[in-house]
mmCIF file of all heavy atoms in Angstrom:
data_model
loop_
_atom_site.group_PDB
_atom_site.id
_atom_site.type_symbol
_atom_site.label_atom_id
_atom_site.label_comp_id
_atom_site.label_asym_id
_atom_site.label_seq_id
_atom_site.Cartn_x
_atom_site.Cartn_y
_atom_site.Cartn_z
ATOM 1 N N MET A 5 0.828 -1.175 0.000
ATOM 2 C CA MET A 5 0.000 0.000 0.000
ATOM 3 C C MET A 5 0.873 1.240 0.000
ATOM 4 O O MET A 5 1.798 1.353 0.777
ATOM 5 C CB MET A 5 -0.867 0.019 1.243
ATOM 6 C CG MET A 5 -2.039 -0.865 1.176
ATOM 7 S SD MET A 5 -2.782 -0.984 2.781
ATOM 8 C CE MET A 5 -2.588 -2.734 3.024
ATOM 9 N N ARG A 7 1.491 5.031 0.833
ATOM 10 C CA ARG A 7 0.990 6.020 1.776
ATOM 11 C C ARG A 7 0.970 7.375 1.106
ATOM 12 O O ARG A 7 1.772 7.670 0.241
ATOM 13 C CB ARG A 7 1.890 6.060 3.006
ATOM 14 C CG ARG A 7 1.893 4.708 3.717
ATOM 15 C CD ARG A 7 2.719 4.789 4.903
ATOM 16 N NE ARG A 7 1.818 5.107 6.001
ATOM 17 C CZ ARG A 7 2.160 4.990 7.259
ATOM 18 N NH1 ARG A 7 3.339 4.595 7.587
ATOM 19 N NH2 ARG A 7 1.306 5.290 8.192
ATOM 20 N N ARG A 16 0.857 11.040 10.918
ATOM 21 C CA ARG A 16 -0.074 9.930 10.695
ATOM 22 C C ARG A 16 -1.479 10.483 10.627
ATOM 23 O O ARG A 16 -2.252 10.341 11.557
ATOM 24 C CB ARG A 16 0.077 8.915 11.811
ATOM 25 C CG ARG A 16 1.447 8.255 11.796
ATOM 26 C CD ARG A 16 1.691 7.494 13.076
ATOM 27 N NE ARG A 16 0.613 6.620 13.436
ATOM 28 C CZ ARG A 16 0.594 5.309 13.189
ATOM 29 N NH1 ARG A 16 1.585 4.738 12.580
ATOM 30 N NH2 ARG A 16 -0.429 4.580 13.568
ATOM 31 N N ALA A 21 -8.002 5.351 2.240
ATOM 32 C CA ALA A 21 -8.039 3.973 2.722
ATOM 33 C C ALA A 21 -6.649 3.367 2.830
ATOM 34 O O ALA A 21 -6.355 2.648 3.793
ATOM 35 C CB ALA A 21 -8.925 3.125 1.800
ATOM 36 N N ASP A 22 -5.775 3.644 1.870
ATOM 37 C CA ASP A 22 -4.423 3.088 1.920
ATOM 38 C C ASP A 22 -3.654 3.578 3.138
ATOM 39 O O ASP A 22 -2.968 2.811 3.814
ATOM 40 C CB ASP A 22 -3.645 3.435 0.649
ATOM 41 C CG ASP A 22 -4.108 2.637 -0.559
ATOM 42 O OD1 ASP A 22 -4.734 1.572 -0.360
ATOM 43 O OD2 ASP A 22 -3.851 3.068 -1.693
ATOM 44 N N ALA A 23 -3.745 4.873 3.433
ATOM 45 C CA ALA A 23 -3.045 5.437 4.601
ATOM 46 C C ALA A 23 -3.623 4.876 5.896
ATOM 47 O O ALA A 23 -2.877 4.530 6.820
ATOM 48 C CB ALA A 23 -3.136 6.956 4.588
ATOM 49 N N LEU A 24 -4.940 4.767 5.966
ATOM 50 C CA LEU A 24 -5.569 4.196 7.166
ATOM 51 C C LEU A 24 -5.147 2.743 7.366
ATOM 52 O O LEU A 24 -4.824 2.328 8.482
ATOM 53 C CB LEU A 24 -7.084 4.277 7.056
ATOM 54 C CG LEU A 24 -7.741 5.569 7.479
ATOM 55 C CD1 LEU A 24 -9.190 5.614 7.006
ATOM 56 C CD2 LEU A 24 -7.683 5.752 8.976
ATOM 57 N N ALA A 25 -5.140 1.969 6.289
ATOM 58 C CA ALA A 25 -4.757 0.562 6.384
ATOM 59 C C ALA A 25 -3.297 0.421 6.807
ATOM 60 O O ALA A 25 -2.965 -0.423 7.650
ATOM 61 C CB ALA A 25 -5.003 -0.149 5.049
ATOM 62 N N ALA A 26 -2.418 1.251 6.254
ATOM 63 C CA ALA A 26 -1.001 1.197 6.613
ATOM 64 C C ALA A 26 -0.796 1.568 8.078
ATOM 65 O O ALA A 26 -0.040 0.904 8.802
ATOM 66 C CB ALA A 26 -0.193 2.112 5.702
ATOM 67 N N ASP A 27 -1.468 2.610 8.547
ATOM 68 C CA ASP A 27 -1.347 3.007 9.950
ATOM 69 C C ASP A 27 -1.954 1.959 10.869
ATOM 70 O O ASP A 27 -1.442 1.696 11.958
ATOM 71 C CB ASP A 27 -2.003 4.372 10.190
ATOM 72 C CG ASP A 27 -1.220 5.506 9.537
ATOM 73 O OD1 ASP A 27 -0.037 5.292 9.202
ATOM 74 O OD2 ASP A 27 -1.795 6.583 9.365
ATOM 75 N N PHE A 28 -3.038 1.355 10.447
ATOM 76 C CA PHE A 28 -3.663 0.263 11.192
ATOM 77 C C PHE A 28 -2.655 -0.877 11.389
ATOM 78 O O PHE A 28 -2.477 -1.374 12.502
ATOM 79 C CB PHE A 28 -4.902 -0.219 10.429
ATOM 80 C CG PHE A 28 -5.516 -1.469 10.976
ATOM 81 C CD1 PHE A 28 -6.451 -1.404 11.999
ATOM 82 C CD2 PHE A 28 -5.164 -2.715 10.472
ATOM 83 C CE1 PHE A 28 -7.025 -2.562 12.502
ATOM 84 C CE2 PHE A 28 -5.728 -3.865 10.970
ATOM 85 C CZ PHE A 28 -6.658 -3.792 11.988
ATOM 86 N N LEU A 29 -1.982 -1.286 10.312
ATOM 87 C CA LEU A 29 -0.998 -2.370 10.406
ATOM 88 C C LEU A 29 0.193 -1.967 11.272
ATOM 89 O O LEU A 29 0.716 -2.786 12.034
ATOM 90 C CB LEU A 29 -0.540 -2.793 9.007
ATOM 91 C CG LEU A 29 -1.605 -3.495 8.164
ATOM 92 C CD1 LEU A 29 -1.105 -3.715 6.736
ATOM 93 C CD2 LEU A 29 -2.036 -4.808 8.804
ATOM 94 N N ASP A 30 0.637 -0.702 11.162
ATOM 95 C CA ASP A 30 1.696 -0.182 12.035
ATOM 96 C C ASP A 30 1.296 -0.298 13.493
ATOM 97 O O ASP A 30 2.081 -0.733 14.338
ATOM 98 C CB ASP A 30 1.974 1.297 11.740
ATOM 99 C CG ASP A 30 3.032 1.518 10.691
ATOM 100 O OD1 ASP A 30 3.635 0.536 10.223
ATOM 101 O OD2 ASP A 30 3.253 2.699 10.353
ATOM 102 N N ASN A 31 0.082 0.132 13.810
ATOM 103 C CA ASN A 31 -0.400 0.082 15.188
ATOM 104 C C ASN A 31 -0.510 -1.351 15.691
ATOM 105 O O ASN A 31 -0.194 -1.633 16.840
ATOM 106 C CB ASN A 31 -1.757 0.767 15.305
ATOM 107 C CG ASN A 31 -1.665 2.257 15.116
ATOM 108 O OD1 ASN A 31 -0.630 2.865 15.345
ATOM 109 N ND2 ASN A 31 -2.746 2.860 14.666
ATOM 110 N N LEU A 32 -0.945 -2.218 14.829
ATOM 111 C CA LEU A 32 -1.059 -3.627 15.202
ATOM 112 C C LEU A 32 0.312 -4.187 15.568
ATOM 113 O O LEU A 32 0.462 -4.872 16.582
ATOM 114 C CB LEU A 32 -1.678 -4.402 14.035
ATOM 115 C CG LEU A 32 -2.405 -5.685 14.331
ATOM 116 C CD1 LEU A 32 -3.468 -5.509 15.388
ATOM 117 C CD2 LEU A 32 -3.016 -6.230 13.054
ATOM 118 N N ARG A 33 1.311 -3.860 14.757
ATOM 119 C CA ARG A 33 2.660 -4.370 14.986
ATOM 120 C C ARG A 33 3.346 -3.661 16.152
ATOM 121 O O ARG A 33 3.882 -4.295 17.051
ATOM 122 C CB ARG A 33 3.504 -4.228 13.718
ATOM 123 C CG ARG A 33 4.883 -4.867 13.843
ATOM 124 C CD ARG A 33 5.744 -4.687 12.601
ATOM 125 N NE ARG A 33 6.161 -3.298 12.473
ATOM 126 C CZ ARG A 33 5.736 -2.437 11.557
ATOM 127 N NH1 ARG A 33 4.859 -2.809 10.662
ATOM 128 N NH2 ARG A 33 6.171 -1.204 11.516
ATOM 129 N N CYS A 34 3.311 -2.334 16.165
ATOM 130 C CA CYS A 34 4.105 -1.568 17.134
ATOM 131 C C CYS A 34 3.412 -1.343 18.471
ATOM 132 O O CYS A 34 4.078 -1.277 19.501
ATOM 133 C CB CYS A 34 4.490 -0.216 16.537
ATOM 134 S SG CYS A 34 5.528 -0.358 15.070
ATOM 135 N N LEU A 35 2.099 -1.176 18.473
ATOM 136 C CA LEU A 35 1.391 -0.889 19.721
ATOM 137 C C LEU A 35 0.731 -2.117 20.331
ATOM 138 O O LEU A 35 0.531 -2.175 21.539
ATOM 139 C CB LEU A 35 0.348 0.208 19.498
ATOM 140 C CG LEU A 35 0.901 1.555 19.038
ATOM 141 C CD1 LEU A 35 -0.225 2.538 18.756
ATOM 142 C CD2 LEU A 35 1.868 2.130 20.059
ATOM 143 N N ARG A 36 0.375 -3.088 19.516
ATOM 144 C CA ARG A 36 -0.274 -4.304 20.018
ATOM 145 C C ARG A 36 0.646 -5.520 19.947
ATOM 146 O O ARG A 36 0.300 -6.582 20.423
ATOM 147 C CB ARG A 36 -1.567 -4.589 19.246
ATOM 148 C CG ARG A 36 -2.606 -3.485 19.316
ATOM 149 C CD ARG A 36 -3.038 -3.121 20.712
ATOM 150 N NE ARG A 36 -3.610 -4.256 21.402
ATOM 151 C CZ ARG A 36 -3.774 -4.320 22.724
ATOM 152 N NH1 ARG A 36 -3.414 -3.327 23.479
ATOM 153 N NH2 ARG A 36 -4.298 -5.390 23.273
ATOM 154 N N CYS A 38 1.536 -7.604 17.522
ATOM 155 C CA CYS A 38 1.024 -8.807 16.878
ATOM 156 C C CYS A 38 0.881 -8.548 15.377
ATOM 157 O O CYS A 38 0.935 -7.418 14.917
ATOM 158 C CB CYS A 38 -0.291 -9.262 17.481
ATOM 159 S SG CYS A 38 -1.631 -8.093 17.347
ATOM 160 N N ALA A 39 0.736 -9.626 14.662
ATOM 161 C CA ALA A 39 0.509 -9.553 13.217
ATOM 162 C C ALA A 39 -0.981 -9.744 12.952
ATOM 163 O O ALA A 39 -1.723 -10.238 13.805
ATOM 164 C CB ALA A 39 1.312 -10.640 12.513
ATOM 165 N N LEU A 40 -1.395 -9.368 11.773
ATOM 166 C CA LEU A 40 -2.803 -9.473 11.399
ATOM 167 C C LEU A 40 -3.320 -10.901 11.564
ATOM 168 O O LEU A 40 -4.432 -11.118 12.031
ATOM 169 C CB LEU A 40 -2.980 -9.001 9.944
ATOM 170 C CG LEU A 40 -4.394 -8.892 9.415
ATOM 171 C CD1 LEU A 40 -5.215 -7.932 10.264
ATOM 172 C CD2 LEU A 40 -4.380 -8.417 7.971
ATOM 173 N N ALA A 43 -3.951 -11.623 15.440
ATOM 174 C CA ALA A 43 -4.539 -10.559 16.251
ATOM 175 C C ALA A 43 -5.920 -10.966 16.751
ATOM 176 O O ALA A 43 -6.700 -11.580 16.035
ATOM 177 C CB ALA A 43 -4.651 -9.284 15.424
ATOM 178 N N SER A 44 -6.195 -10.620 17.991
ATOM 179 C CA SER A 44 -7.538 -10.838 18.528
ATOM 180 C C SER A 44 -8.464 -9.743 17.991
ATOM 181 O O SER A 44 -8.015 -8.737 17.441
ATOM 182 C CB SER A 44 -7.518 -10.789 20.062
ATOM 183 O OG SER A 44 -7.291 -9.457 20.501
ATOM 184 N N ARG A 45 -9.744 -9.940 18.184
ATOM 185 C CA ARG A 45 -10.720 -8.929 17.764
ATOM 186 C C ARG A 45 -10.457 -7.605 18.483
ATOM 187 O O ARG A 45 -10.581 -6.543 17.898
ATOM 188 C CB ARG A 45 -12.116 -9.457 18.066
ATOM 189 C CG ARG A 45 -13.228 -8.636 17.505
ATOM 190 C CD ARG A 45 -14.543 -9.355 17.674
ATOM 191 N NE ARG A 45 -15.625 -8.387 17.643
ATOM 192 C CZ ARG A 45 -16.858 -8.656 17.950
ATOM 193 N NH1 ARG A 45 -17.193 -9.873 18.307
ATOM 194 N NH2 ARG A 45 -17.779 -7.741 17.905
ATOM 195 N N ASN A 46 -10.057 -7.682 19.755
ATOM 196 C CA ASN A 46 -9.751 -6.478 20.510
ATOM 197 C C ASN A 46 -8.486 -5.798 19.986
ATOM 198 O O ASN A 46 -8.406 -4.570 19.936
ATOM 199 C CB ASN A 46 -9.626 -6.779 22.006
ATOM 200 C CG ASN A 46 -9.639 -5.513 22.819
ATOM 201 O OD1 ASN A 46 -10.609 -4.768 22.792
ATOM 202 N ND2 ASN A 46 -8.552 -5.250 23.515
ATOM 203 N N ASP A 47 -7.465 -6.575 19.597
ATOM 204 C CA ASP A 47 -6.256 -6.000 18.996
ATOM 205 C C ASP A 47 -6.620 -5.210 17.743
ATOM 206 O O ASP A 47 -6.124 -4.102 17.529
ATOM 207 C CB ASP A 47 -5.252 -7.095 18.619
ATOM 208 C CG ASP A 47 -4.609 -7.762 19.813
ATOM 209 O OD1 ASP A 47 -4.402 -7.093 20.857
ATOM 210 O OD2 ASP A 47 -4.303 -8.967 19.704
ATOM 211 N N LEU A 48 -7.481 -5.779 16.910
ATOM 212 C CA LEU A 48 -7.898 -5.118 15.670
ATOM 213 C C LEU A 48 -8.657 -3.829 15.977
ATOM 214 O O LEU A 48 -8.411 -2.782 15.370
ATOM 215 C CB LEU A 48 -8.766 -6.055 14.835
ATOM 216 C CG LEU A 48 -8.117 -7.368 14.380
ATOM 217 C CD1 LEU A 48 -9.150 -8.264 13.699
ATOM 218 C CD2 LEU A 48 -6.925 -7.119 13.493
ATOM 219 N N TYR A 49 -9.568 -3.897 16.935
ATOM 220 C CA TYR A 49 -10.333 -2.707 17.344
ATOM 221 C C TYR A 49 -9.400 -1.604 17.830
ATOM 222 O O TYR A 49 -9.530 -0.445 17.437
ATOM 223 C CB TYR A 49 -11.344 -3.090 18.433
ATOM 224 C CG TYR A 49 -11.876 -1.897 19.171
ATOM 225 C CD1 TYR A 49 -12.854 -1.088 18.601
ATOM 226 C CD2 TYR A 49 -11.375 -1.547 20.418
ATOM 227 C CE1 TYR A 49 -13.330 0.031 19.264
ATOM 228 C CE2 TYR A 49 -11.846 -0.437 21.088
ATOM 229 C CZ TYR A 49 -12.813 0.354 20.501
ATOM 230 O OH TYR A 49 -13.269 1.465 21.165
ATOM 231 N N LEU A 50 -8.447 -1.958 18.695
ATOM 232 C CA LEU A 50 -7.533 -0.952 19.241
ATOM 233 C C LEU A 50 -6.617 -0.373 18.167
ATOM 234 O O LEU A 50 -6.334 0.824 18.169
ATOM 235 C CB LEU A 50 -6.722 -1.538 20.395
ATOM 236 C CG LEU A 50 -7.514 -1.773 21.680
ATOM 237 C CD1 LEU A 50 -6.667 -2.517 22.705
ATOM 238 C CD2 LEU A 50 -8.027 -0.468 22.250
ATOM 239 N N ALA A 51 -6.161 -1.200 17.240
ATOM 240 C CA ALA A 51 -5.294 -0.701 16.166
ATOM 241 C C ALA A 51 -6.023 0.344 15.328
ATOM 242 O O ALA A 51 -5.453 1.386 14.978
ATOM 243 C CB ALA A 51 -4.814 -1.861 15.295
ATOM 244 N N LEU A 52 -7.280 0.103 15.020
ATOM 245 C CA LEU A 52 -8.065 1.092 14.271
ATOM 246 C C LEU A 52 -8.331 2.327 15.133
ATOM 247 O O LEU A 52 -8.236 3.458 14.648
ATOM 248 C CB LEU A 52 -9.378 0.487 13.776
ATOM 249 C CG LEU A 52 -10.269 1.441 12.974
ATOM 250 C CD1 LEU A 52 -9.533 1.969 11.745
ATOM 251 C CD2 LEU A 52 -11.556 0.744 12.579
ATOM 252 N N SER A 53 -8.624 2.115 16.396
ATOM 253 C CA SER A 53 -8.868 3.242 17.300
ATOM 254 C C SER A 53 -7.650 4.157 17.386
ATOM 255 O O SER A 53 -7.780 5.382 17.390
ATOM 256 C CB SER A 53 -9.230 2.745 18.700
ATOM 257 O OG SER A 53 -10.442 2.047 18.665
ATOM 258 N N TYR A 54 -6.468 3.574 17.459
ATOM 259 C CA TYR A 54 -5.238 4.378 17.494
ATOM 260 C C TYR A 54 -5.056 5.165 16.193
ATOM 261 O O TYR A 54 -4.624 6.312 16.208
ATOM 262 C CB TYR A 54 -4.012 3.501 17.729
ATOM 263 C CG TYR A 54 -3.939 2.855 19.090
ATOM 264 C CD1 TYR A 54 -3.591 1.505 19.217
ATOM 265 C CD2 TYR A 54 -4.199 3.563 20.260
ATOM 266 C CE1 TYR A 54 -3.503 0.898 20.447
ATOM 267 C CE2 TYR A 54 -4.115 2.960 21.497
ATOM 268 C CZ TYR A 54 -3.763 1.627 21.587
ATOM 269 O OH TYR A 54 -3.683 1.026 22.814
ATOM 270 N N ALA A 55 -5.367 4.552 15.071
ATOM 271 C CA ALA A 55 -5.248 5.248 13.787
ATOM 272 C C ALA A 55 -6.205 6.437 13.724
ATOM 273 O O ALA A 55 -5.847 7.513 13.242
ATOM 274 C CB ALA A 55 -5.513 4.287 12.629
ATOM 275 N N VAL A 56 -7.416 6.261 14.238
ATOM 276 C CA VAL A 56 -8.392 7.354 14.273
ATOM 277 C C VAL A 56 -7.940 8.423 15.258
ATOM 278 O O VAL A 56 -8.023 9.621 14.986
ATOM 279 C CB VAL A 56 -9.794 6.817 14.613
ATOM 280 C CG1 VAL A 56 -10.780 7.943 14.847
ATOM 281 C CG2 VAL A 56 -10.285 5.898 13.495
ATOM 282 N N ASP A 58 -4.926 9.258 16.068
ATOM 283 C CA ASP A 58 -3.858 10.053 15.449
ATOM 284 C C ASP A 58 -4.435 11.177 14.600
ATOM 285 O O ASP A 58 -3.938 12.297 14.617
ATOM 286 C CB ASP A 58 -2.960 9.169 14.577
ATOM 287 C CG ASP A 58 -2.135 8.197 15.398
ATOM 288 O OD1 ASP A 58 -1.974 8.425 16.616
ATOM 289 O OD2 ASP A 58 -1.655 7.213 14.813
ATOM 290 N N ARG A 59 -5.476 10.869 13.869
ATOM 291 C CA ARG A 59 -6.099 11.880 13.015
ATOM 292 C C ARG A 59 -6.847 12.929 13.846
ATOM 293 O O ARG A 59 -6.842 14.100 13.514
ATOM 294 C CB ARG A 59 -7.029 11.202 12.010
ATOM 295 C CG ARG A 59 -6.224 10.552 10.890
ATOM 296 C CD ARG A 59 -6.770 9.233 10.407
ATOM 297 N NE ARG A 59 -5.922 8.684 9.369
ATOM 298 C CZ ARG A 59 -4.853 7.929 9.615
ATOM 299 N NH1 ARG A 59 -4.488 7.637 10.829
ATOM 300 N NH2 ARG A 59 -4.130 7.467 8.611
ATOM 301 N N ALA A 109 -12.519 4.207 6.121
ATOM 302 C CA ALA A 109 -12.167 3.164 7.090
ATOM 303 C C ALA A 109 -12.756 1.825 6.662
ATOM 304 O O ALA A 109 -12.102 0.784 6.779
ATOM 305 C CB ALA A 109 -12.660 3.543 8.480
ATOM 306 N N ALA A 112 -10.559 0.609 3.941
ATOM 307 C CA ALA A 112 -9.271 0.181 4.495
ATOM 308 C C ALA A 112 -9.385 -1.205 5.121
ATOM 309 O O ALA A 112 -8.533 -2.079 4.898
ATOM 310 C CB ALA A 112 -8.775 1.193 5.527
ATOM 311 N N MET A 113 -10.440 -1.413 5.899
ATOM 312 C CA MET A 113 -10.613 -2.713 6.532
ATOM 313 C C MET A 113 -10.932 -3.786 5.491
ATOM 314 O O MET A 113 -10.458 -4.912 5.589
ATOM 315 C CB MET A 113 -11.710 -2.653 7.608
ATOM 316 C CG MET A 113 -11.357 -1.756 8.795
ATOM 317 S SD MET A 113 -9.850 -2.217 9.682
ATOM 318 C CE MET A 113 -8.657 -1.086 8.978
ATOM 319 N N LEU A 116 -7.945 -5.261 3.989
ATOM 320 C CA LEU A 116 -7.252 -6.194 4.876
ATOM 321 C C LEU A 116 -8.099 -7.419 5.225
ATOM 322 O O LEU A 116 -7.688 -8.257 6.020
ATOM 323 C CB LEU A 116 -6.846 -5.465 6.165
ATOM 324 C CG LEU A 116 -5.911 -4.275 5.964
ATOM 325 C CD1 LEU A 116 -5.776 -3.488 7.255
ATOM 326 C CD2 LEU A 116 -4.555 -4.741 5.459
ATOM 327 N N ILE A 118 -11.080 -7.412 6.768
ATOM 328 C CA ILE A 118 -11.678 -7.242 8.095
ATOM 329 C C ILE A 118 -13.033 -6.567 7.935
ATOM 330 O O ILE A 118 -13.176 -5.628 7.164
ATOM 331 C CB ILE A 118 -10.763 -6.383 8.989
ATOM 332 C CG1 ILE A 118 -9.417 -7.075 9.176
ATOM 333 C CG2 ILE A 118 -11.417 -6.090 10.330
ATOM 334 C CD1 ILE A 118 -8.363 -6.186 9.806
ATOM 335 N N LEU A 123 -15.601 -4.784 14.159
ATOM 336 C CA LEU A 123 -14.730 -3.979 15.032
ATOM 337 C C LEU A 123 -15.543 -2.977 15.841
ATOM 338 O O LEU A 123 -15.278 -2.759 17.022
ATOM 339 C CB LEU A 123 -13.672 -3.240 14.216
ATOM 340 C CG LEU A 123 -12.634 -4.092 13.493
ATOM 341 C CD1 LEU A 123 -11.565 -3.212 12.893
ATOM 342 C CD2 LEU A 123 -12.023 -5.116 14.416
#
Side-chain angles (χ1 to χ4, degrees):
M5 282 169 241
R7 298 182 94 166
R16 295 167 49 98
D22 287 340
L24 275 167
D27 290 342
F28 171 87
L29 291 173
D30 270 356
N31 291 335
L32 205 53
R33 186 182 71 250
C34 298
L35 299 176
R36 301 303 300 163
C38 61
L40 186 58
S44 71
R45 189 171 157 190
N46 194 61
D47 290 327
L48 299 173
Y49 164 78
L50 288 173
L52 180 59
S53 295
Y54 293 135
V56 172
D58 291 341
R59 284 142 181 87
M113 295 301 99
L116 300 170
I118 299 169
L123 295 187

